[in-house]
Amino acid sequence: MPDDPWQPPRILLAVDLVILTLRDARLHVLLVERGIDPFLGALALPGGFLHDEHEDLEAAARRELLEEAGLSDVHLEPLAVYGEPGRDPRGRVVSVAYLAIAPRLPEPVAGTDAADASWTPVDDALAPGAKLAFDHRRIVIDGVERARVKLEHTALATAFCAESFTISELQQVYEAVWGVRLDPRNFYRKVQGARGFIVADGPMRKTPNGRPARLFRAGPVHVLNPPMTRP
């Protein structure tokens, strides 16, 4: 019987990272300027190919994040796998994307094949005229949506506030991530209805308009019940 002539296709495996944070009350994504072809000079997510068949996927993601942006000690979670034909002009590339959304992340420092690295407002990165390399626009959209869902179902938003915060300050976090304006009364009612989400903390604080505002701190729960559903 003749040997089977079929040969498996050559597939390259890569990782991409969607790193989100809040700066100046706006949601930002970490982007790098590509210093090599393809897409030389274009903005892209940090990422790259695995070193070899022995490198762990998350280890590769952490290595690329450190090499291209100088960031470490960031909690990563799997986002999705992207493998459509034609997504990379270098060949058939399958990319495993990771997501992180964390407060108070430092300024990135570009390295290896990244000519620059910076925090870019998500609204600017996804604006109609903006162009990202490869299919990174789609990956950013998916990462932002995952972050928005996390704020609906978990107490993550409190991590972006100070130890003591007002309801208005917590609302600003939701507005920045969700990209919508929220009615203060409806938001207050939803927050108070999510059992264990926040708890009262200390004396009242004067707001910029001179009115006193009650202070809160993060409560004991991590999963919100009921969730903070978007408008």
Side-chain angles (χ1 to χ4, degrees), residues 54-204:
H54 303 294
E55 187 173 31
D56 177 77
L57 283 169
E58 185 173 328
R62 294 190 178 280
R63 173 181 54 78
E64 287 290 344
L65 184 59
L66 181 61
E67 290 178 353
E68 293 198 347
L71 297 184
S72 60
D73 299 325
V74 178
H75 174 72
L76 300 176
E77 64 177 67
L79 174 61
V81 177
Y82 301 86
E84 290 79 359
R87 63 180 300 271
D88 192 312
R90 292 168 293 186
R92 187 66 188 273
V93 177
V94 174
S95 181
V96 179
Y98 285 84
L99 170 71
I101 174 168
R104 297 173 285 279
L105 292 177
E107 290 291 339
V109 179
T112 61
D113 56 359
D116 192 18
S118 61
W119 294 110
T120 302
V122 166
D123 290 344
D124 294 345
L126 299 179
K131 292 185 178 181
L132 299 182
F134 308 104
D135 56 353
H136 289 186
R137 177 185 178 88
R138 174 190 172 188
I139 300 176
V140 171
I141 290 173
D142 290 348
V144 170
E145 177 59 23
R146 173 75 66 84
R148 289 172 174 171
V149 172
K150 287 177 72 70
L151 257 66
E152 286 186 294
H153 295 275
T154 76
L156 175 64
T158 58
F160 292 87
C161 298
E163 184 175 353
S164 295
F165 53 85
T166 65
I167 294 288
S168 177
E169 290 167 343
L170 182 64
Q171 179 176 327
Q172 290 174 13
V173 174
Y174 276 90
E175 289 179 336
V177 177
W178 284 352
V180 296
R181 298 291 295 177
L182 299 172
D183 178 77
R185 287 175 294 183
N186 288 340
F187 181 78
Y188 183 89
R189 185 174 64 253
K190 287 185 177 181
V191 170
Q192 295 290 2
R195 295 178 293 275
F197 182 16
I198 60 173
V199 294
D201 184 47
M204 302 183 81

